[in-house]
C-alpha cells in the first residue's frame, strides 16, 4: 500500500456520491454527456480569491497566471475576480482579450516571444515583461514601426531563489529574465528610448508550501526592486513580486499559511524604501487559485488482476492529466489524492489497487497501490487537484483518444 495526497477540504458527498459545486457527479457527467470530464468549481476559486484578499495588505493586486487553466468559461469569470492576467504566448493573449480582460491589465512574460507576438501585444497595449536585451530592442523597433509607445517592464532573473520551491525559476543561470546585475541598465535603456516603463517583474519560483520561504523571498524581491530603482533613479510604477504559492499534492504536505505571508508582507511594505513608496505591488498566482477547484472524473472500464496486483483501468489517462502520472515536474512518482466518486466516504477495501489509464504505455499510472472502496467497471474515479496544469498541460493528441470534456459549475 502507498499513501496518497490529501483530498482538498472543500468536497462533500450525498449518499456516497461526490458533490462538486453542490451537484452529484452522476448528474454532472450526464449533463456533460460523457467521461473523462474535468469539472471546475467556481465556488472554490471565489473562496480562494476572498482568502487572498483578506490575507494580503490592501493595495496588493492579484494577477492570474492563465497558463494554469485557460478554459474559456473559467477565464471569463477570472476577469472580474482578479486584477489582471499574466500571459505567456500570443495564443494566451488572444484568449485573455476574448475573455474580456482589459489590455492594460495584461502582462506578457515568457522567453522566445516572436516578432508577431510582440507586435500583437504592443498593438493591444499589453505590458511586455522583457526577457532579454535582444527582446527589448526588437520590441522597441516594432513599436516604432507601429507608431506606438510600448508598455515595457523588465523581467529580472533574481540572484536568489525560492527555497523549497517545486520549480526553481531564479538564482543562477536561467532562460528567464535579465540577470539582476543588468536589469537596471536595461530599464534605463527602454526609458531613454521613449517606452512607457512599467517596472519590474521578479519571479523566483513555484509551488512553495513554506510560508517562511515565501516571506524571505518577498523581502529579498522588494529589496532587489529598490536597489534596481535606485540604479534607474526612478520609481517603478509596478513591482510584480511573482507568486509561488503552492498547494498540497502529496502525502505529508501541508497547506501554505497565506495569512502569515500576508502579515509579513504588510510589514515589509510598510517599511519599504522611499523609492518604492508610489509603486503598486502585484502577486501572480496560478495553481493556488484554481488547482484545488478541479476534479478529473474518469470511468473504470476494466478491473483485472496480474500476478496478485489489482488494476482498475479507466477511460482517461495521462493524455488528459499528465501531472497525476508523475510525468510533469516531479522526479518521484507519488500519489495524487483520488477517490471512487460514486462510493465517496465508503469503507476502503484492504486490497490495494493501482489505477491505470487507457494508454498503451507503462507511464500511464494515475495512482499506485492505493486503498479505496471496492470498485468495479462502471464506477467513476475522481482525481483531485486537477484545476491547474491538467487539460491544457497534457499531451491530448497522444494515442488518438478523444480530448477530455470540461465544465464549470458554481
Ligand atoms: C507559471 C507561472 C506562474 C504561475 O505559477 P503557479 O505555480 O501556477 O502559481 C506565475 N508566474 C510566472 C512568470 C509563471 O511562469
Amino acid at each position: 500500500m502507498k499513501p496518497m495526497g490529501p483530498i482538498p477540504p472543500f468536497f462533500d458527498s450525498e449518499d456516497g456520491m461526490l458533490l462538486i459545486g453542490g451537484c452529484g457527479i452522476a448528474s454532472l457527467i450526464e449533463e456533460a454527456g460523457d467521461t473523462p470530464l474535468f469539472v471546475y468549481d467556481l465556488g472554490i476559486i471565489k473562496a480562494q480569491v476572498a482568502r487572498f484578499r483578506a490575507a494580503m495588505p490592501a493595495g496588493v493586486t492579484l494577477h492570474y497566471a492563465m497558463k494554469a487553466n485557460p478554459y474559456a468559461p473559467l477565464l471569463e469569470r477570472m476577469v472580474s475576480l482578479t486584477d489582471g492576467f499574466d500571459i505567456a504566448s500570443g495564443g494566451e493573449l488572444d484568449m485573455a482579450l476574448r475573455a474580456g480582460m482589459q489590455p492594460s491589465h495584461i502582462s506578457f512574460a515568457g522567453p522566445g516571444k516572436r516578432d508577431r507576438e510582440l507586435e500583437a501585444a504592443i498593438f493591444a497595449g499589453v505590458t511586455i515583461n522583457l526577457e532579454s536585451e535582444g527582446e527589448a530592442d526588437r520590441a522597441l523597433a516594432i513599436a516604432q514601426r507601429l507608431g506606438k509607445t510600448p508598455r515595457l517592464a523588465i523581467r529580472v532573473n533574481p540572484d536568489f531563489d525560492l527555497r523549497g520551491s517545486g520549480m526553481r525559476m531564479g538564482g543562477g543561470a536561467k532562460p528567464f529574465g535579465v540577470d539582476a546585475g543588468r536589469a537596471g541598465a536595461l530599464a534605463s535603456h527602454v526609458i531613454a528610448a521613449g517606452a512607457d516603463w512599467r517596472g519590474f517583474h521578479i519571479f523566483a519560483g513555484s509551488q512553495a508550501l513554506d510560508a517562511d520561504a515565501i516571506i524571505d523571498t518577498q523581502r529579498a524581491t522588494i529589496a532587489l526592486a529598490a536597489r534596481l530603482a535606485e540604479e534607474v533613479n526612478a520609481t517603478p510604477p509596478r513591482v510584480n513580486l511573482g507568486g509561488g504559492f503552492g498547494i498540497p499534492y502529496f502525502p505529508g504536505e501541508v497547506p501554505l499559511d497565506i495569512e502569515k505571508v500576508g502579515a509579513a508582507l504588510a510589514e515589509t511594505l510598510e517599511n519599504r524604501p522611499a523609492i518604492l513608496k508610489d509603486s503598486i505591488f502585484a502577486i501572480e498566482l496560478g495553481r493556488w487559485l484554481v488547482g484545488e477547484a478541479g476534479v478529473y472524473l474518469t470511468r473504470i472500464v476494466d478491473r483485472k488482476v496480474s500476478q496478485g496486483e489489482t488494476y482498475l483501468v479507466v477511460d482517461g489517462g495521462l493524455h488528459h492529466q499528465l501531472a497525476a502520472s508523475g510525468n510533469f515536474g516531479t522526479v518521484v512518482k507519488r500519489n495524487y489524492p483520488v477517490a471512487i466518486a460514486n462510493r465517496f466516504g465508503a469503507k476502503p477495501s484492504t486490497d490495494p489497487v493501482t489505477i491505470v489509464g487507457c494508454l498503451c504505455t507503462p507511464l500511464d499510472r494515475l495512482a499506485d497501490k492505493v486503498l479505496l472502496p471496492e470498485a468495479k467497471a462502471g464506477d467513476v474515479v475522481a482525481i483531485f487537484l486537477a484545476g491547474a496544469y491538467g487539460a491544457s498541460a497534457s499531451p491530448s493528441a497522444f494515442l488518438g483518444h478523444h480530448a477530455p470534456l470540461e465544465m464549470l459549475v458554481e
Side-chain angles (χ1 to χ4, degrees):
M1 190 274 286
K2 292 184 185 165
M4 55 185 171
I7 293 177
F10 306 100
F11 294 96
D12 265 326
S13 65
E14 198 173 86
D15 302 329
M17 194 68 76
L18 172 67
L19 302 174
I20 308 175
C23 222
I25 58 107
S27 28
L28 292 172
I29 292 170
E30 195 180 307
E31 194 185 325
D34 204 357
T35 51
L37 169 65
F38 284 90
V39 184
Y40 311 116
D41 180 352
L42 190 71
I44 295 175
I45 298 172
K46 283 182 174 167
Q48 291 296 85
V49 171
R51 189 172 163 205
F52 177 92
R53 304 267 188 216
M56 293 298 140
V60 169
T61 59
L62 172 61
H63 277 225
Y64 176 48
M66 66 171 274
K67 77 172 185 289
N69 189 333
Y71 180 53
L74 185 149
L75 268 192
E76 282 163 23
R77 305 306 298 265
M78 295 308 265
V79 168
S80 51
L81 286 172
T82 64
D83 306 309
F85 286 174
D86 290 324
I87 61 168
S89 72
E92 287 193 349
L93 173 60
D94 291 344
M95 288 189 266
L97 294 175
R98 229 177 296 134
M101 181 51 85
Q102 265 185 57
S104 58
H105 296 173
I106 298 174
S107 58
F108 184 4
K113 300 181 196 79
R114 303 172 68 171
D115 283 356
R116 71 169 83 110
E117 294 176 295
L118 293 171
E119 181 171 327
I122 291 166
F123 189 78
V126 159
T127 295
I128 296 170
N129 293 327
L130 296 170
E131 304 274 350
S132 73
E133 288 87 352
E135 189 173 276
D137 287 337
R138 284 193 293 130
L140 290 166
I142 290 167
Q144 193 168 39
R145 178 159 55 71
L146 295 177
K148 284 259 196 186
T149 303
R151 300 161 77 92
L152 303 178
I154 312 299
R155 180 167 181 184
V156 184
N157 172 24
D159 35 21
F160 49 83
D161 63 18
L162 176 53
R163 267 189 295 123
S165 147
M167 223 175 275
R168 289 183 171 192
M169 304 290 277
K174 289 287 174 309
F176 311 109
V178 179
D179 292 350
R182 304 198 315 264
L186 183 57
S188 301
H189 173 65
V190 302
I191 293 167
D196 178 5
W197 176 55
R198 303 305 304 153
F200 296 110
H201 173 216
I202 308 175
F203 180 78
S206 244
Q207 180 49 21
L209 294 169
D210 177 0
D212 291 321
I214 292 182
I215 290 167
D216 288 350
T217 296
Q218 290 182 337
R219 284 196 187 121
T221 301
I222 290 163
L224 173 58
R227 232 165 38 236
L228 296 173
E230 293 291 352
E231 262 182 61
V232 182
N233 197 21
T235 291
R238 261 167 51 92
V239 177
N240 182 330
L241 299 172
F245 295 16
I247 53 176
Y249 287 93
F250 301 118
E253 291 186 339
V254 288
L256 171 68
D257 183 351
I258 82 147
E259 286 73 22
K260 186 174 178 185
V261 172
L265 181 58
E267 199 186 306
T268 308
L269 288 181
E270 250 162 56
N271 301 316
R272 69 187 182 269
I275 196 154
L276 300 181
K277 276 287 173 271
D278 294 324
S279 299
I280 288 174
F281 294 85
I283 289 181
E284 55 181 11
L285 299 178
R287 75 185 77 220
W288 191 87
L289 292 174
V290 297
E292 294 176 309
V295 183
Y296 178 57
L297 298 171
T298 174
R299 201 178 286 281
I300 299 172
V301 176
D302 198 8
R303 177 190 173 105
K304 56 187 282 187
V305 175
S306 168
Q307 306 210 355
E309 193 170 327
T310 303
Y311 290 92
L312 302 177
V313 187
V314 296
D315 61 5
L318 70 73
H319 54 313
H320 300 160
Q321 184 48 7
L322 181 65
S325 74
N327 292 295
F328 187 74
T330 46
V331 180
V332 184
K333 156 94 183 98
R334 291 171 293 177
N335 286 321
Y336 267 46
V338 299
I340 303 301
N342 56 323
R343 294 170 202 274
F344 199 75
K347 205 165 133 9
S349 144
T350 50
D351 288 330
V353 293
T354 291
I355 302 174
V356 296
C358 58
L359 300 191
C360 223
T361 157
L363 297 179
D364 200 4
R365 281 165 102 85
L366 297 172
D368 205 17
K369 300 191 180 71
V370 287
L371 293 181
L372 295 172
E374 187 79 20
K376 56 181 188 328
D379 288 337
V380 175
V381 169
I383 300 177
F384 294 91
L385 303 172
Y389 308 109
S392 72
S394 301
S396 65
F398 188 34
L399 269 153
H401 290 282
H402 287 291
L405 297 168
E406 294 178 275
M407 83 194 285
L408 183 71
V409 296
E410 41 186 313

